[in-house]
Amino acid sequence: MIIEVMKIEDLDEVMLIENDLFEDPWTRSAFEYDLLNNPYSTYYVLKNENEIIGYAGLSVSFEDADVLNIGIKKEYQGRGLGEKLFTHLIEEAKKANCLYMHLEVRESNTVAHNLYKKMGFEDIRIRKNYYAGENGIDMMKGL
């Protein structure tokens, strides 16, 4: 398994995963904008040979890093791959001299919430209706 910077050519496979995982997935145009026009954001893909099995996005601004999104194909979940990809994001944030890392997670997504706690994130606040009618939990970790 390798992690590499996402290319625009990877987007078809990433969109299949995104649309399979989420009720309200990011749009293709949102990914395209970040990939092509946003110098603060970097996306990564996790590959098993030539198959993309996961992806994650990170935005860096001054001393803060924000996890934009993360997803692992359903058939590969439960194998520690989300943690592997997440660890990569933390390493990249540290390389960029970030002091803090932030993210939001759905209240109902207990699997992801527990992973983030395991990775050292703490709940900061509840964001009412952050996800199209569902509350989000704002989380932060010092680096």
Side-chain angles (χ1 to χ4, degrees):
M1 305 255 178
I2 61 166
I3 297 172
E4 55 188 36
V5 173
M6 185 190 298
K7 300 180 289 287
I8 197 74
E9 299 84 40
D10 297 327
L11 201 48
D12 286 341
E13 284 184 79
V14 168
M15 289 308 304
L16 290 173
I17 300 168
E18 176 78 6
N19 289 322
D20 188 45
L21 293 177
F22 301 106
E23 290 176 24
D24 56 342
W26 279 32
T27 63
R28 183 181 190 90
S29 61
F31 278 105
E32 286 174 347
Y33 175 81
D34 271 356
L35 285 170
L36 299 173
N37 302 305
N38 190 343
Y40 305 106
S41 298
T42 306
Y43 289 80
Y44 302 91
V45 289
L46 175 63
K47 290 185 173 182
N48 182 19
E49 297 184 18
N50 288 327
E51 177 189 12
I52 294 174
I53 60 171
Y55 61 92
L58 185 69
S59 177
V60 173
S61 179
F62 302 105
E63 72 274 359
D64 289 323
D66 289 292
V67 177
L68 300 172
N69 54 17
I70 187 166
I72 299 290
K73 270 187 174 181
K74 286 180 181 176
E75 59 266 32
Y76 287 91
Q77 292 178 0
R79 301 181 192 181
L81 299 174
E83 187 172 341
K84 176 183 176 109
L85 196 50
F86 209 85
T87 298
H88 182 78
L89 293 182
I90 292 169
E91 290 169 4
E92 291 299 314
K94 287 178 179 178
K95 284 183 200 172
N97 297 313
C98 292
L99 301 176
Y100 303 98
M101 199 164 189
H102 306 267
L103 60 83
E104 294 84 26
V105 62
R106 287 178 180 274
E107 269 187 327
S108 64
N109 193 345
T110 54
V111 172
H113 190 221
N114 288 334
L115 171 63
Y116 303 148
K117 283 183 181 176
K118 179 180 174 184
M119 302 295 289
F121 282 79
E122 296 178 8
D123 295 355
I124 302 301
R125 66 180 172 153
I126 299 294
R127 292 182 143 194
K128 299 287 183 192
N129 300 313
Y130 186 76
Y131 292 101
E134 184 178 348
N135 294 342
I137 302 170
D138 220 354
M139 300 183 79
M140 186 178 79
K141 169 186 176 76
L143 300 176

